[in-house]
Amino acid sequence: MSAPVLLWFKRDLRITDHPALAQAGTRILPVYVIEPEYWALPDTSARQWAFTAEALESLRAELAGLGQPLIIRKGDAVAELGRLCRRFKITQMISHEETGNAWTYARDQRVGAWARANGVAWQEVPQCAVMRRLRSRDGWQGGRTAFIRQGQAMTPEALEPVCTSDLPDRLPEARALGLAPDPCAHRQRGSHAAARATLDSFLTSRAEGYRAKMSSPLTGERACSRLSPYLALGVLSVREVELARQTTPMERPGWKASMTSFAKRLAWRDHFIQKLEDEPALEHRCLHHAHEGLRGPDAARLAAWADGQTGVPFVDACMRYLTATGWLNFRMRAMLMSFASYHLWLDWRETGAVLARRFTDYEPGIHWSQVQMQSGTTGINTLRIYNPVKQGYDQDPEGRFIRAWVPELKGIAPAHLQEPWTAPNAGAVLGKRYPEPVVDLAQAAKHARDVMWGLRKQTGFGDTARAIAVKHASRARDTDRSSAGSKRAASRKRPDPAQLSFDL
């Protein structure tokens, strides 16, 4: 009997529209390796592991239903894959192409070196429209469209049983991986059933008013698709979501506009992940080098921001909500990052790691691209210094969100809730039950504007920015132009508004 093909699952925890599974054949050894070193990284957390564990249990049951349950190992990927290949005399291995953080990139390089040295042919298969070794963004949008239109990969009707004798009874708890306690009472569940239910409820009811309601944390909680954690971990594929979107009847007024807007954001998802694929260093280095060394550490400010104790009610309410749920609508994510970078003048690498740990939908390509974008370090995007008080008035005009998440302000009248330091009884609350603002908002914003615009006026800044735009800017409106024309357009093009309201 021939040796099985080892199918290595990573962030592709599903059997529907799984290109690597479709290509592997029916005699496979499906494997997932729990890597303690990965879970010790500063951008991972117990809430992410809890979500992952639920997805793994769901995948294990689905694969068992096909005839071969998921084999789960704990340890170093090279060591564990090597043991399984030797045991089952495996010479072929297949997985999806992953665009992850720097650690997973280095791990895949080690796995590749091991495979070549040991005669194991390792094939990596694209599972989304992100393209490896992309020479130019010219035509990228057309390539993405072609990928989506390929249709879903077929799921095998059955798998040959290869190994069912040594499956673990249960997955390790977070503390067994060395993860700190991380209560997240209102976290989404990670199973494929939960993912499908979320997709179905969005397409059939929740998407009504999607564009109008996504900006507020009050309405965005329901109006946004909430599919981001399932897409990040591969419980759902983009093609699966896109097919469901295209085949759902859109008979209600405004429904088609909502779905068109949602489709654009699915495309932006791949666009931002492509940025990290093309420039892995953006996880650690400013995309525009002129911003290196701009901001320094401030432990007290970082702690106040991370704990929701900045003294700015709407900022603190958003951070506390994120801590409790693992999710936050995009505009509020952008505001948190903007506030940390501009008003608190904190380095994006520190604050970005805090947010990465809090998000159950942490997707490195989107996250680090957006962290730099909202911090102004890309050199090509508009500086967006959010006024957190104005955002509160705009997105929570009645103060219901603040009341729910900052109960210390119970005694503050509604007219002063967004700016409690203006209340007649401020002295009885601020500095006692709730902190004074950690910075003067107006002065901090002015300082940030002066420094950031001053940098952009320096000699050579624009030349570097234009080169960055040629490499990373969207070509969504330039797909039929010449390469030279695309470069000129990219150098002067303003960011698409969808980049500034990137909600799923």
Side-chain angles (χ1 to χ4, degrees):
M1 186 175 290
S2 63
V5 174
L6 191 152
L7 174 57
W8 180 24
F9 283 90
K10 295 184 280 182
R11 289 193 301 135
D12 53 336
L13 305 185
R14 66 183 186 280
I15 62 171
T16 304
D17 187 34
H18 194 296
L21 173 61
Q23 293 185 34
T26 59
R27 183 168 173 76
I28 66 170
L29 189 70
V31 175
Y32 182 87
V33 182
I34 303 169
E35 301 166 275
E37 188 177 334
Y38 170 80
W39 292 104
L41 297 174
D43 54 350
T44 62
S45 61
R47 67 184 58 192
Q48 294 169 1
W49 167 246
F51 188 90
T52 301
E54 290 166 358
L56 285 169
E57 290 289 9
S58 178
L59 175 63
R60 180 156 63 176
E62 290 179 319
L63 286 168
L66 294 178
Q68 172 56 61
L70 181 66
I71 306 297
I72 298 176
R73 290 289 182 267
K74 177 184 174 184
D76 175 75
V78 170
E80 296 303 324
L81 294 172
R83 290 188 185 98
L84 289 168
C85 285
R86 289 191 295 272
R87 176 180 170 185
F88 293 95
K89 297 180 172 55
I90 289 171
T91 59
Q92 296 183 67
M93 185 170 74
I94 190 169
S95 70
H96 80 281
E97 287 182 349
E98 181 178 7
T99 302
N101 61 14
W103 187 91
T104 64
Y105 177 74
R107 176 255 276 142
D108 282 355
Q109 287 185 314
R110 290 195 299 112
V111 170
W114 159 81
R116 289 188 296 273
N118 289 272
V120 176
W122 178 26
Q123 180 186 4
E124 295 180 273
V125 182
Q127 71 161 343
C128 66
V130 176
M131 304 176 192
R132 286 207 172 157
R133 292 173 287 279
L134 187 67
R135 292 185 177 183
S136 168
R137 273 300 186 104
D138 294 350
W140 181 87
Q141 187 66 32
R144 182 189 184 273
T145 300
F147 179 85
I148 295 297
R149 289 177 178 172
Q150 284 176 5
Q152 296 188 41
M154 297 296 293
T155 302
E157 294 182 0
L159 298 173
E160 297 180 39
V162 174
C163 176
T164 60
S165 62
D166 55 352
L167 302 177
D169 292 332
R170 58 191 303 177
L171 296 172
E173 299 288 339
R175 62 176 178 273
L177 296 175
L179 291 163
D182 182 27
C184 189
H186 305 289
R187 171 180 65 77
Q188 290 176 254
R189 302 299 116 181
S191 70
H192 191 258
R196 284 298 315 188
T198 303
L199 175 60
D200 293 344
S201 70
F202 175 68
L203 294 178
T204 58
S205 62
R206 292 188 295 106
E208 190 170 9
Y210 173 69
R211 290 195 297 178
K213 296 177 180 179
M214 67 170 63
S215 293
S216 169
L218 287 166
T219 54
E221 180 179 62
R222 175 174 172 79
C224 292
S225 77
R226 307 300 301 274
L227 296 173
S228 51
Y230 305 114
L231 291 169
L233 203 58
V235 180
L236 294 174
S237 76
V238 171
R239 280 196 304 214
E240 185 179 359
V241 172
E242 181 61 17
L243 178 63
R245 183 193 71 83
Q246 292 176 3
T247 55
T248 298
M250 292 181 275
E251 301 171 353
R252 286 182 248 180
W255 209 255
K256 186 175 182 180
S258 291
M259 290 296 97
T260 299
S261 183
F262 176 63
K264 178 178 283 191
R265 282 155 180 81
L266 285 176
W268 277 113
R269 179 182 186 275
D270 287 344
H271 164 74
F272 282 114
I273 296 174
Q274 185 70 56
K275 288 176 181 281
L276 185 61
E277 179 67 36
D278 294 344
E279 189 103 29
L282 71 79
E283 181 186 347
H284 300 297
R285 295 202 301 268
C286 294
L287 196 58
H288 195 302
H289 61 77
H291 300 96
E292 287 295 348
L294 193 64
R295 300 166 171 118
D298 188 318
R301 287 186 179 186
L302 179 65
W305 177 78
D307 295 340
Q309 295 287 340
T310 68
V312 183
F314 195 53
V315 170
D316 293 340
C318 288
M319 184 61 83
R320 295 179 190 188
Y321 174 88
L322 170 60
T323 301
T325 67
W327 182 88
L328 187 64
N329 65 313
F330 177 77
R331 180 172 287 273
M332 300 302 93
R333 296 185 189 210
M335 182 196 69
L336 286 180
M337 198 66 220
S338 169
F339 183 79
S341 297
Y342 294 123
H343 291 88
L344 302 185
W345 208 241
L346 296 170
D347 190 275
W348 58 269
R349 282 157 280 226
E350 284 191 310
T351 53
V354 171
L355 291 180
R357 292 192 294 272
R358 301 279 171 92
F359 294 146
T360 51
D361 60 5
Y362 171 53
E363 172 66 69
I366 297 173
H367 181 73
W368 294 111
S369 296
Q370 285 292 333
V371 161
Q372 288 217 43
M373 184 172 166
Q374 303 304 333
S375 300
T377 56
T378 66
I380 61 173
N381 297 108
T382 302
L383 296 179
R384 292 183 61 84
I385 304 177
Y386 286 74
N387 180 332
V389 174
K390 182 181 184 300
Q391 287 297 311
Y393 281 121
D394 290 347
Q395 309 303 339
D396 186 28
E398 298 176 3
R400 290 189 292 130
F401 188 71
I402 291 176
R403 292 287 187 206
W405 295 98
V406 191
E408 305 97 302
L409 297 177
K410 180 179 180 181
I412 298 294
H416 299 281
L417 190 59
Q418 303 289 348
E419 303 170 87
W421 49 89
T422 66
N425 62 335
V429 177
L430 303 187
K432 298 178 175 65
R433 297 199 303 271
Y434 185 68
E436 298 269 4
V438 293
V439 294
D440 181 292
L441 297 179
Q443 289 182 7
K446 181 181 184 305
H447 170 265
R449 275 192 294 270
D450 290 346
V451 173
M452 298 301 288
W453 284 114
L455 273 179
R456 293 194 172 204
K457 294 176 183 177
Q458 290 181 358
T459 302
F461 187 99
D463 292 337
T464 300
R466 281 185 284 275
I468 293 169
V470 167
K471 183 172 183 178
H472 293 290
S474 167
R475 305 291 200 274
R477 300 172 186 170
D478 304 315
T479 52
D480 296 327
R481 301 181 185 180
S482 68
S483 176
S486 295
K487 291 178 181 179
R488 286 194 297 272
S491 70
R492 64 176 180 266
K493 177 180 175 290
R494 292 184 178 182
D496 188 299
Q499 295 187 51
L500 307 177
S501 57
F502 181 56
D503 272 301
L504 287 174

